[in-house]
Amino acid sequence: MMGNTGMTDKDIMMGVLGDYKLAIEVLSHAATEAANENLKRDFINALNSTFEEQKQVWNAISQRGWYSVKPAQMQDIQEAKNKFRQLAGVM
């Protein structure tokens, strides 16, 4: 717990994780929309760095047991693959 803010370490870390997710979304959109190749490359580099930093935050949260992930069943994985293959075929 930090001071008298009522926020726990978990609250802070989950907020940081949310901020990284938002940054990834914004940088991805910016890279997609950039018409200038140098700017696009800069956005992609920033996006890759942000992915790495987000993973570090997620690992720290996961190690503390604050973010648990249910293992996917093979059937669920196959269904997701099929769904994305169908979507890719539409484009």
Side-chain angles (χ1 to χ4, degrees):
M1 182 93 114
M2 294 195 55
N4 60 1
T5 64
M7 292 185 69
T8 64
D9 290 345
K10 178 181 178 181
D11 295 331
I12 294 167
M13 292 295 287
M14 294 301 278
V16 170
L17 182 63
D19 290 345
Y20 271 108
K21 289 179 180 181
L22 178 59
I24 287 167
E25 186 177 331
V26 170
L27 287 167
S28 178
H29 184 80
T32 301
E33 296 294 327
N36 179 284
E37 287 303 314
N38 289 331
L39 186 57
K40 180 183 284 285
R41 187 175 32 249
D42 287 345
F43 282 134
I44 290 170
N45 288 338
L47 180 61
N48 287 334
S49 295
T50 305
F51 273 129
E52 291 173 17
E53 293 166 11
Q54 180 271 337
K55 180 64 174 160
Q56 291 174 356
V57 171
W58 187 87
N59 285 342
I61 290 170
S62 180
Q63 288 171 356
R64 289 166 175 81
W66 296 337
Y67 197 129
S68 59
V69 178
K70 181 181 106 179
Q73 301 297 314
M74 286 307 296
Q75 180 179 349
D76 295 335
I77 294 170
Q78 193 57 49
E79 287 175 10
K81 285 181 181 180
N82 291 340
K83 179 180 176 180
F84 284 106
R85 282 188 188 120
Q86 289 173 350
L87 288 174
V90 172
M91 294 178 164

